[in-house]
Amino acid sequence: EQAANAIDKYISRCKKMMKEANATVNGLWQGDDYNAFISKWNGIDDKKSDYANLIKYFENYSELLRYAAKQYKDAQKKAEGASYIA
């Protein structure tokens, strides 16, 4: 679970930094150059972009780690409750 929490923190930082970068980029300048640049920039945050895919990958990995931790804890509880014949 600690690894999943660390990944969640990383995802939050990435999203915050992207939001801040978007705010900065959107206020830089105006004109044709800006329009050309902003269309490329917006592709970075698109749902099909590498950035979005990476965030989704980390979210899925975090979920997997939590699932594995739960399965491990459940298996430990079952093993503690089982009686063994020596």
Side-chain angles (χ1 to χ4, degrees), residues 25 28-29 32-42:
V25 167
L28 286 178
W29 68 93
D32 292 338
D33 290 339
Y34 171 77
N35 292 335
F37 175 79
I38 203 68
S39 68
K40 298 278 187 189
W41 176 260
N42 288 337

Side-chain angles (χ1 to χ4, degrees), residues 3-18:
N5 290 337
I7 291 170
D8 289 344
K9 285 182 184 180
Y10 179 76
I11 292 168
S12 293
R13 273 196 316 253
C14 286
K15 288 180 177 181
K16 180 182 178 201
M17 290 172 63
M18 182 57 85

Side-chain angles (χ1 to χ4, degrees), residues 14-85:
C14 286
K15 288 180 177 181
K16 180 182 178 201
M17 290 172 63
M18 182 57 85
K19 186 177 180 180
E20 291 171 357
N22 280 331
T24 300
V25 167
N26 285 323
L28 286 178
W29 68 93
Q30 297 176 352
D32 292 338
D33 290 339
Y34 171 77
N35 292 335
F37 175 79
I38 203 68
S39 68
K40 298 278 187 189
W41 176 260
N42 288 337
I44 292 172
D45 205 15
D46 186 85
K47 291 183 179 177
K48 295 180 181 178
S49 71
D50 290 340
Y51 166 76
N53 288 334
L54 182 63
I55 293 297
K56 189 64 182 164
Y57 170 81
F58 280 128
E59 289 170 342
N60 290 339
Y61 190 54
S62 176
E63 287 177 29
L64 174 67
L65 289 173
R66 282 196 171 79
Y67 174 79
K70 183 182 179 317
Q71 294 298 310
Y72 182 78
K73 286 178 183 178
D74 290 348
Q76 278 184 319
K77 286 179 185 176
K78 285 180 185 176
E80 289 170 359
S83 61
Y84 295 98
I85 300 174

